[in-house]
Amino acid sequence: DKQVKYLIKGIVKALMKHDVKATGLKSLQGKMWKSGYESGELKGHIYSDFVPLLNWCKANGVSVSIYSSGSIDAQKLLFKYTTEGDLTSFFLSHFDTTTGSKKEHTSYEKIAKHLGVKPSEIVFVSDAEAELVAARKAGIGFPVMSVRPGNAPLTDVGREFPIVYSLLQLCGSD
């Protein structure tokens, strides 16, 4: 029993180290994080331009949804317990890998259908080139590359998309 737990722990750590986007792993992470967030030991860290973006979207009637490889439960925890307070009221919907891989165009088609909008009406911001390629293939109207310190260097593929260095650029600001 002790040896099995040790092996499972090792496998989970290896999966996390390699940033595996497995739905089961993300669900397990979400359950583990729940107690940390609720106790105040963990806080969701967000970029300084995120709350101003959310406020701008709310003031201008722009719906915001999240599509993350993190489970929906983990997303809700992160945004409920941020360093800037509870941001959950800003989001219309949350999507995770139960919708499909972020690298598959059908996932973005499913999201558009769920939201009741045409894919061409969606702005999708990501720092991952493969996700933007899949979104574009699905007909997402505005796939945008977000460049932040520490991101992987852009390739020619990444440069095919509009690039923002701050989410405020989506609002027409620097």
Side-chain angles (χ1 to χ4, degrees), residues 8 11 17 20 28 39 58 61 72 78 94 97 104-105 129 131 136-137 142 152 159-160 170:
I8 291 171
I11 291 168
K17 181 180 178 183
V20 173
L28 175 63
S39 73
K58 186 174 184 177
I72 290 171
L78 183 138
H94 296 268
T97 55
E104 296 293 327
H105 73 279
E129 294 175 352
E131 295 173 8
R136 179 174 57 197
K137 185 174 179 182
F142 305 96
R159 290 185 195 91
E160 294 173 9
L170 300 171

Side-chain angles (χ1 to χ4, degrees), residues 9-23:
K9 185 177 175 181
I11 291 168
V12 170
K13 282 184 174 182
L15 291 170
M16 290 170 56
K17 181 180 178 183
H18 290 90
D19 198 24
V20 173
K21 307 294 186 193
T23 301

Side-chain angles (χ1 to χ4, degrees), residues 3-170:
Q3 188 176 10
V4 171
K5 287 181 182 180
Y6 179 79
L7 288 171
I8 291 171
K9 185 177 175 181
I11 291 168
V12 170
K13 282 184 174 182
L15 291 170
M16 290 170 56
K17 181 180 178 183
H18 290 90
D19 198 24
V20 173
K21 307 294 186 193
T23 301
L25 176 63
K26 296 300 180 178
S27 176
L28 175 63
Q29 287 173 329
K31 290 173 183 169
M32 290 169 36
W33 293 338
K34 187 174 192 282
S35 64
Y37 279 116
E38 289 177 347
S39 73
E41 186 177 343
L42 296 176
K43 290 281 185 192
H45 293 273
I46 56 172
Y47 288 105
S48 61
D49 57 357
F50 193 59
V51 172
L53 167 81
L54 293 174
N55 286 323
W56 182 90
C57 288
K58 186 174 184 177
N60 289 279
V62 176
S63 298
V64 178
S65 295
I66 300 290
Y67 183 24
S68 174
S69 57
S71 72
I72 290 171
D73 287 342
Q75 293 173 42
K76 289 179 178 179
L77 284 170
L78 183 138
F79 291 115
K80 182 173 183 178
Y81 298 102
T82 77
T83 54
E84 301 298 316
D86 185 349
L87 303 177
T88 55
S89 66
F90 286 98
F91 302 106
L92 174 67
S93 297
H94 296 268
F95 302 94
D96 63 12
T97 55
T98 60
T99 300
S101 168
K102 293 176 75 179
K103 297 177 182 179
E104 296 293 327
H105 73 279
T106 54
S107 302
Y108 300 90
E109 293 166 351
K110 289 178 190 174
I111 288 170
K113 185 175 182 179
H114 175 87
L115 295 173
V117 299
K118 297 175 190 167
S120 62
E121 298 173 0
I122 295 176
V123 175
F124 175 68
V125 182
S126 178
D127 62 359
E129 294 175 352
E131 295 173 8
L132 294 170
V133 169
R136 179 174 57 197
K137 185 174 179 182
I140 297 299
F142 305 96
V144 177
M145 172 60 73
S146 175
V147 175
R148 301 281 191 172
N151 282 15
L154 288 181
T155 69
D156 289 341
V157 173
R159 290 185 195 91
E160 294 173 9
F161 299 95
I163 296 172
V164 296
Y165 298 92
S166 166
L167 294 176
L168 297 178
Q169 289 176 270
L170 300 171

